[in-house]
Each structure stands twice: as C-alpha cells, then as structure tokens.
C-alpha cells in the first residue's frame, strides 16, 4: 500500500524559510512524478510544485524563484525548500502522486507565516 508522509511544517516569520519533506513507501518511488499542493483556509487546494521522475520541475507562478522542489530517490523522499515566505504561503501542504488511475495523498503539514 502506498503511503506518503509529510514533515517539516511550522510557524515562521515573513521572509523566513522552511523545508518540507515527503517520504513515500509501498511503491517504486523513482518511477513517478511527485507534487506538492497547498490549501489555504477557505480556498481550494492548488498545485505549488511538481517534479518528474526525470527531475524536471515546474512551479506555480506565485512561488517561482522562492520555492525549489527536489527529490532523493535513494531516500524515497521529495523536498520543498521554501524561501522568502509570505503571509499568503500559509496553508496545509500536501504531498501527492499519481500511480495509474489512482491518486495518493499524504496527511498534510501545516505552514503558518506570521509575524
């Protein structure tokens, strides 16, 4: 059974940094693209960053130049380095992948940007 477990969230001041991690189990991690989504209060979940199995990355316009997605296939882990954090980056961040017709989600990790 595929499981995704996120960690690394927390409270940070504007301009600060956090690194999120998502560790996968139950699948051959290196085969699949991995994504980070976030959901702010009273807003829809949105795609923040994605990395292919070949390590090609894409970002939402709102985070380009500030966030970096990367993966370590030896550790079955995908990372999201978040720099220059803003108030509007606050939300629950979820790790996601699609395997065949199924989508898998982690439990989420809370990121709060506040002064």
């Amino acid at each position: 059974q595929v499981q995704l477990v996120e960690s690394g969230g927390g409270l940070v001041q504007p301009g600060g940094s956090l690194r999120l991690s998502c560790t996968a189990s139950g699948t051959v991690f290196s085969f699949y693209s991995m994504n980070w989504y976030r959901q702010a209060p009273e807003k829809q979940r949105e795609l923040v960053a994605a990395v292919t199995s070949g390590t090609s990355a894409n970002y939402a316009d709102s985070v380009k130049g500030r966030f970096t997605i990367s993966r370590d296939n030896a550790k079955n882990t995908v990372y999201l380095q978040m720099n220059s954090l803003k108030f509007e980056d606050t939300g629950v961040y979820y790790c996601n992948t699609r395997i065949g017709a199924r989508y898998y989600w982690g439990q989420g990790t809370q990121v709060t940007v506040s002064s």
Side-chain angles (χ1 to χ4, degrees), residues 40-81:
E42 301 181 0
K43 291 190 176 181
Q44 288 193 329
R45 196 172 293 189
E46 62 172 345
L47 179 64
V48 173
V51 62
T52 68
S53 58
T55 70
S56 179
N58 287 287
Y59 301 92
D61 287 343
S62 58
V63 307
K64 279 181 183 176
R66 301 188 298 121
F67 289 13
T68 302
I69 189 171
S70 62
R71 66 191 299 160
D72 184 338
N73 290 335
K75 295 182 178 180
N76 284 1
T77 300
V78 61
Y79 303 98
L80 186 67
Q81 177 67 44

Side-chain angles (χ1 to χ4, degrees), residues 12-25:
V12 63
Q13 292 185 339
S17 298
L18 282 175
R19 188 175 82 153
L20 307 183
S21 300
C22 170
T23 300
S25 61

Side-chain angles (χ1 to χ4, degrees), residues 10 33 52 99 102 109 114:
S33 295
T52 68
I99 300 175
R102 292 193 63 177
T109 185
S114 176

